[in-house]
Amino acid sequence: MTSIKKTKIAVLAGDGIGPEVTQQAIKVMNAVTERFGGYFEYCFADVGAVAIDRTGSPLPDITLEACLNADAILFGAIGDPKYDNDPKAKVRPEQGLLKLRKELGLYANIRPVTTYERLLHLSPLREDRIKGVDLVIYRELTGGIYFGEKGTSEDGQQAFDTCTYQVEEIQRIAKLAFEQALLRRGKVTLVDKANVMETSRLWRKTVQEMAEDYPDVELDFMFVDNAAMQLIQNPRQFDVMLTSNMFGDILSDEASVLAGSLGLLPSASIGLHTSLFEPIHGSYPQAAGQDIANPMAAILSAAMLVESLGMAEAARAIRLAVQHILEKGFGTPELQPSAVYGCSQIGDLAALLVADPDEEILVREDKLQQKISTII
Ligand code: IPM
Ligand code: MN
């Protein structure tokens, strides 16, 4: 009897559109096993506002345990307006995410930004500026000002947040960035504020020393204010952008505008124990349950997940499927596609394209049309 390799996936679908987009990613992952073998065992757990409603905590212990026992985590989205509008709320869905990052040691947040020819017009930026953009942001995720000492004075007249970095924290993410650059166009841009901040100077020194071990990588430095400008003025100059927690938070939202839709961008958070994969969009509560949310970001996050498990071919198949769907003009409403499909139909279609071992289907439109008509 042969045993099938079982991979444990913790699924934290979260709030708003989180569950519906995550469901599409699962369809696609099941299609991966159909075509490439293996077996995913899913363990569903609560996080965010749904977890607060059920247990009082945005990250219940049982959820954390499920994550620690998993080979990878598929994450949806968290957030609910009832917490956003209450500055006095003691418990917030976001605390669940921050705690998860810290507890699992999710130190490197990776956000690739690519543009699709057919969607260039959706970006508020000029098409000739964004055409061919292909960059990836490596954002440090468990240090810096997010997790440094913070507080408010007793009289409420003063507050502080501290930015602290250890050399080791810088080295472990910089190593990933250098290695990624070797697989890409061989360039790392370290984004910092070394003209003002001591921590930035430590980043520069550390990364500069490491660069000696990577003679094939071109290392470049850029102040964050300039980088914010360059990202919209000349985004093609970037290959791998490496930066600290807060700068990365801001720049990655800015970079997402290049792609034209938040619904297309995946992310991976690489951890010490396990890694987490999530779309970069939020919970979009207004769209929840309406089957209009774009599942592409969640599906592309599943591609990053399978890639991290060593299934490079499967990851490629998922990306090809997404590309094909977009190029043929299918999509959820916000993409203004020539053929509007629901979240779940896009998931079905992507799963179908991934499962079919006949790569030809990717180029034979008539066959694809036939298959689609059986879904809708
Ligand atoms: C993100 C989000 C989080 C962050 C929030 C929800 C705490 O903006 O993942 O980028 O600031 O890191
Ligand atoms: Mn953010």
Side-chain angles (χ1 to χ4, degrees), residues 244-276:
S244 60
N245 203 341
M246 175 86 121
F247 295 157
D249 178 46
I250 299 165
L251 292 178
S252 55
D253 265 31
E254 187 191 358
S256 72
V257 176
L258 303 170
S261 167
L262 268 182
L264 294 170
L265 298 174
S267 80
S269 297
I270 304 303
L272 299 172
H273 310 290
T274 181
S275 299
L276 177 148

Side-chain angles (χ1 to χ4, degrees), residues 196-338:
V196 177
M197 291 170 65
E198 205 60 36
T199 41
S200 287
R201 289 191 276 271
L202 185 65
W203 273 80
R204 274 203 189 199
K205 181 170 175 286
T206 308
V207 173
Q208 209 155 19
E209 280 167 14
M210 288 177 74
E212 286 168 23
D213 296 335
Y214 300 91
D216 294 333
V217 176
E218 179 196 345
L219 176 64
D220 205 12
F221 303 98
M222 198 179 277
F223 294 143
V224 63
D225 44 356
N226 184 26
M229 186 175 74
Q230 298 286 337
L231 250 183
I232 48 174
Q233 209 159 47
N234 177 16
R236 270 190 300 267
Q237 72 183 287
F238 296 111
D239 182 15
V240 178
M241 287 180 105
L242 169 64
T243 192
S244 60
N245 203 341
M246 175 86 121
F247 295 157
D249 178 46
I250 299 165
L251 292 178
S252 55
D253 265 31
E254 187 191 358
S256 72
V257 176
L258 303 170
S261 167
L262 268 182
L264 294 170
L265 298 174
S267 80
S269 297
I270 304 303
L272 299 172
H273 310 290
T274 181
S275 299
L276 177 148
F277 302 84
E278 63 170 320
I280 81 154
H281 60 69
S283 58
Y284 192 15
Q286 307 86 326
Q290 292 183 42
D291 200 32
I292 54 166
N294 188 346
M296 294 299 199
I299 291 170
L300 290 168
S301 300
M304 294 183 87
L305 187 156
V306 299
E307 194 165 45
S308 80
L309 298 171
M311 303 172 81
E313 217 189 320
R316 192 176 149 266
I318 298 175
R319 290 184 186 120
L320 266 178
V322 166
Q323 213 172 332
H324 190 71
I325 292 169
L326 293 174
E327 271 162 22
K328 289 281 176 248
F330 308 121
T332 40
E334 96 288 0
L335 298 179
Q336 303 163 10
S338 41

Side-chain angles (χ1 to χ4, degrees), residues 122-144:
L122 293 177
S123 171
L125 300 171
R126 262 178 25 206
E127 291 188 24
D128 62 313
R129 296 263 160 108
I130 56 172
K131 203 175 165 171
V133 163
D134 179 15
L135 61 89
V136 56
I137 299 181
Y138 274 63
R139 166 190 175 194
E140 201 289 326
L141 203 60
T142 49

Side-chain angles (χ1 to χ4, degrees), residues 12-270:
L12 277 56
D15 305 322
I17 58 168
E20 53 203 277
V21 297
T22 305
Q23 207 191 332
Q24 311 317 313
I26 290 176
K27 280 181 193 168
V28 170
M29 284 173 56
N30 289 338
V32 160
T33 59
E34 218 177 287
R35 166 132 161 234
F36 298 95
Y39 177 73
F40 291 120
E41 183 184 85
Y42 303 101
C43 172
F44 294 83
D46 289 332
V47 72
V50 284
I52 300 177
D53 292 346
R54 285 187 193 147
T55 69
S57 160
L59 182 68
D61 289 345
I62 191 165
T63 299
L64 190 56
E65 209 172 300
C67 292
L68 287 167
N69 284 327
D71 296 300
I73 304 160
L74 190 59
F75 194 95
I78 53 164
D80 190 295
K82 74 182 173 207
Y83 298 97
D84 293 347
N85 303 331
D86 177 7
K88 290 210 190 82
K90 285 255 175 333
V91 193
R92 294 174 179 281
E94 289 78 7
Q95 291 164 341
L97 186 58
L98 294 174
K99 184 165 170 215
L100 194 61
R101 287 176 183 168
K102 202 65 182 174
E103 297 278 345
L104 298 178
L106 302 175
Y107 65 93
N109 183 230
I110 303 172
R111 295 186 173 187
V113 179
T114 40
T115 51
Y116 297 89
E117 192 70 30
R118 202 183 170 107
L119 302 177
L120 291 178
H121 67 282
L122 293 177
S123 171
L125 300 171
R126 262 178 25 206
E127 291 188 24
D128 62 313
R129 296 263 160 108
I130 56 172
K131 203 175 165 171
V133 163
D134 179 15
L135 61 89
V136 56
I137 299 181
Y138 274 63
R139 166 190 175 194
E140 201 289 326
L141 203 60
T142 49
I145 201 161
Y146 270 61
F147 292 98
E149 211 186 310
K150 54 186 78 210
T152 305
S153 65
E154 253 170 44
D155 64 3
Q157 296 302 298
Q158 192 186 311
F160 67 98
D161 296 279
T162 334
C163 183
T164 313
Y165 269 111
Q166 317 275 336
V167 168
E168 255 178 34
E169 292 174 307
I170 301 167
Q171 281 170 338
R172 63 188 180 187
I173 184 171
K175 182 167 186 283
L176 296 184
F178 278 117
E179 276 163 11
Q180 185 56 223
L182 287 174
L183 301 173
R184 296 172 49 95
R185 301 195 303 280
K187 183 172 168 189
V188 170
T189 306
L190 175 63
V191 176
D192 62 23
K193 192 74 187 170
N195 49 348
V196 177
M197 291 170 65
E198 205 60 36
T199 41
S200 287
R201 289 191 276 271
L202 185 65
W203 273 80
R204 274 203 189 199
K205 181 170 175 286
T206 308
V207 173
Q208 209 155 19
E209 280 167 14
M210 288 177 74
E212 286 168 23
D213 296 335
Y214 300 91
D216 294 333
V217 176
E218 179 196 345
L219 176 64
D220 205 12
F221 303 98
M222 198 179 277
F223 294 143
V224 63
D225 44 356
N226 184 26
M229 186 175 74
Q230 298 286 337
L231 250 183
I232 48 174
Q233 209 159 47
N234 177 16
R236 270 190 300 267
Q237 72 183 287
F238 296 111
D239 182 15
V240 178
M241 287 180 105
L242 169 64
T243 192
S244 60
N245 203 341
M246 175 86 121
F247 295 157
D249 178 46
I250 299 165
L251 292 178
S252 55
D253 265 31
E254 187 191 358
S256 72
V257 176
L258 303 170
S261 167
L262 268 182
L264 294 170
L265 298 174
S267 80
S269 297
I270 304 303

